[in-house]
């Protein structure tokens, strides 16, 4: 089987939809996609399915125009895990803010909603700053600048929790530059290739993530099972033969693995992404 990757030149939903539209016109059997804006992607992916193309999505739990949506983990579990890590770094007290790539990013908002609910239940001495959720457009410079604004406005803030992999390093860069290392902490989604300097400094005590290559392999495995007429085997407990996806949970068209990674300065050399 041949498999190849196509994507927009920047994180732009309209450009991504154009890529999808172009692929639909080619002779493809399956489309594995991470929708930037799931709602906006619906018509294009509906068209793909009408043509008989198998559609597997990722980071779009609850999405309707797909055969399956695969998540590396249960979204509530992931949000709660991030909050546990933030709470540990903050000593379970103080004010924090939430950050996402886009306010339309379905999974990002699920993670942050779960994190905030978990904080309210488990960490009563922590407090969410009453700001709108901070949108940083998957851009580290924007996360850095918005974090600086927040620190200026709320000098007693102790925590930043971010859904995009650019949120924690952007906030950590601001923390280090403003001389607040050890007093303020940024936690959330991240990858060691970007976050390494801040994992070292301690402003980013750890990052949570999943291996995107393994998620991609798992998506392709699901598509292959359907194309090979083995779609009936896709049920809770199935082992996809991929680390973190040995015991998947299936709920309708939603599938989740158990592939959360927590990376800190002690183990970051083990992950080459």
């Amino acid at each position: 089987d041949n498999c190849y990757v196509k994507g927009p030149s920047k994180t732009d939903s309209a450009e991504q939809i154009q890529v999808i539209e172009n692929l639909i016109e080619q002779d493809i059997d399956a489309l594995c996609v991470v929708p930037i804006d799931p709602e906006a992607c619906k018509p294009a992916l509906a068209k793909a399915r009408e043509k008989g193309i198998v559609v597997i999505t990722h980071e779009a739990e609850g999405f309707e125009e797909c055969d399956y949506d695969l998540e590396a983990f249960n979204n509530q579990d992931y949000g709660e895990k991030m909050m546990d890590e933030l709470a540990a770094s903050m000593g379970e007290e103080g004010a924090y803010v939430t950050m996402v790539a886009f306010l339309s990013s379905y999974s990002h908002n699920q993670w942050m909603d779960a994190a905030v609910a978990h904080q309210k239940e488990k960490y009563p001495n922590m407090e969410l700053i009453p700001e709108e959720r901070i949108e940083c457009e998957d851009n580290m410079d924007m996360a850095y600048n918005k974090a600086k604004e927040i620190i200026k406005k709320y000098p007693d803030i102790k925590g930043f929790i971010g859904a995009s992999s650019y949120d924690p390093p952007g906030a950590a860069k601001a923390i280090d530059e403003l001389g607040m290392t050890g007093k303020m902490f940024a936690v959330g989604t991240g990858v060691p290739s970007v976050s390494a300097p801040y994992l070292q400094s301690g402003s980013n005590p750890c990052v949570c993530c999943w291996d995107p290559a393994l998620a991609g392999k798992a998506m392709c495995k699901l598509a292959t099972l359907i194309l090979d007429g083995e779609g009936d085997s896709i049920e809770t407990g199935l082992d996809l033969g991929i680390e973190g996806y040995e015991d998947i949970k299936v709920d309708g068209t939603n599938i989740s693995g158990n592939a959360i990674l927590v990376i800190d300065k002690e183990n970051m050399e083990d992950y080459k992404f």
Side-chain angles (χ1 to χ4, degrees), residues 97 99 140-148 151 158-162 164-189 194-207:
V97 291
M99 308 168 83
M140 186 167 160
D141 286 337
M142 190 178 291
Y144 161 72
N145 285 316
K146 289 199 173 183
K148 280 205 298 188
I151 293 168
K158 279 183 76 176
F160 294 83
I161 182 167
S164 158
S165 60
Y166 292 110
D167 293 339
K173 183 182 177 187
I175 290 167
D176 286 347
E177 281 193 11
L178 294 169
M180 301 308 290
T181 315
K183 296 184 180 133
M184 297 177 183
F185 307 92
V187 165
T189 305
V194 178
S195 292
Y198 314 107
L199 292 170
Q200 290 284 11
S201 76
S203 53
N204 195 173
C206 70
V207 290

Side-chain angles (χ1 to χ4, degrees), residues 80-99:
E80 291 180 359
K81 181 65 177 168
M82 287 194 279
M83 179 50 71
D84 286 338
E85 296 295 341
L86 180 66
S89 65
M90 289 173 59
E92 299 186 12
E93 61 180 19
Y96 71 96
V97 291
T98 57
M99 308 168 83

Side-chain angles (χ1 to χ4, degrees), residues 44-45 48 53 66 87 99 101 106 123 129 134 136 141 162 165 176 201 206:
L45 293 177
I53 296 168
C66 64
M99 308 168 83
Y106 188 79
Y123 305 111
I129 282 176
I134 299 161
C136 299
D141 286 337
S165 60
D176 286 347
S201 76
C206 70

Side-chain angles (χ1 to χ4, degrees), residues 114-254:
V116 171
H118 190 52
Q119 173 267 306
K120 287 180 176 168
E121 184 184 336
K122 195 170 176 189
Y123 305 111
N125 295 328
M126 289 173 65
E127 175 198 0
L128 177 66
I129 282 176
E131 287 274 331
E132 286 185 17
R133 193 156 285 172
I134 299 161
E135 183 180 52
C136 299
E137 298 182 10
D138 224 15
N139 181 302
M140 186 167 160
D141 286 337
M142 190 178 291
Y144 161 72
N145 285 316
K146 289 199 173 183
K148 280 205 298 188
E149 288 170 17
I150 287 288
I151 293 168
K152 191 174 179 182
K153 190 171 179 183
Y154 301 99
D156 293 331
I157 189 172
K158 279 183 76 176
F160 294 83
I161 182 167
S164 158
S165 60
Y166 292 110
D167 293 339
K173 183 182 177 187
I175 290 167
D176 286 347
E177 281 193 11
L178 294 169
M180 301 308 290
T181 315
K183 296 184 180 133
M184 297 177 183
F185 307 92
V187 165
T189 305
V191 291
S193 59
V194 178
S195 292
Y198 314 107
L199 292 170
Q200 290 284 11
S201 76
S203 53
N204 195 173
C206 70
V207 290
C208 300
C209 62
W210 61 103
D211 187 326
L214 295 180
K217 282 184 180 178
M219 293 168 80
C220 291
K221 176 71 174 179
L222 289 170
T224 304
L225 286 171
I226 295 168
L227 292 169
D228 289 347
E230 297 174 33
D232 289 348
S233 70
I234 300 172
E235 55 186 25
T236 293
L238 176 66
D239 180 356
L240 294 180
I242 296 157
E243 189 180 345
Y245 303 89
E246 301 97 338
D247 181 17
I248 62 170
K249 290 185 174 58
V250 182
D251 179 12
T253 58
N254 295 312

Side-chain angles (χ1 to χ4, degrees), residues 35-83:
I36 294 167
D37 183 341
E39 199 61 35
C41 271
K42 269 186 182 174
L45 293 177
K47 192 190 298 183
R49 298 185 75 207
E50 281 164 22
K51 286 192 69 174
I53 296 168
V54 173
V55 173
I56 308 293
T57 56
H58 179 51
E59 291 190 55
E61 187 180 347
F63 189 69
E64 292 158 6
E65 291 300 342
C66 64
D67 291 82
Y68 288 101
D69 175 77
L70 173 77
E71 301 298 317
F73 35 69
N74 172 281
N75 279 336
Q76 182 171 334
D77 290 349
Y78 187 63
E80 291 180 359
K81 181 65 177 168
M82 287 194 279
M83 179 50 71

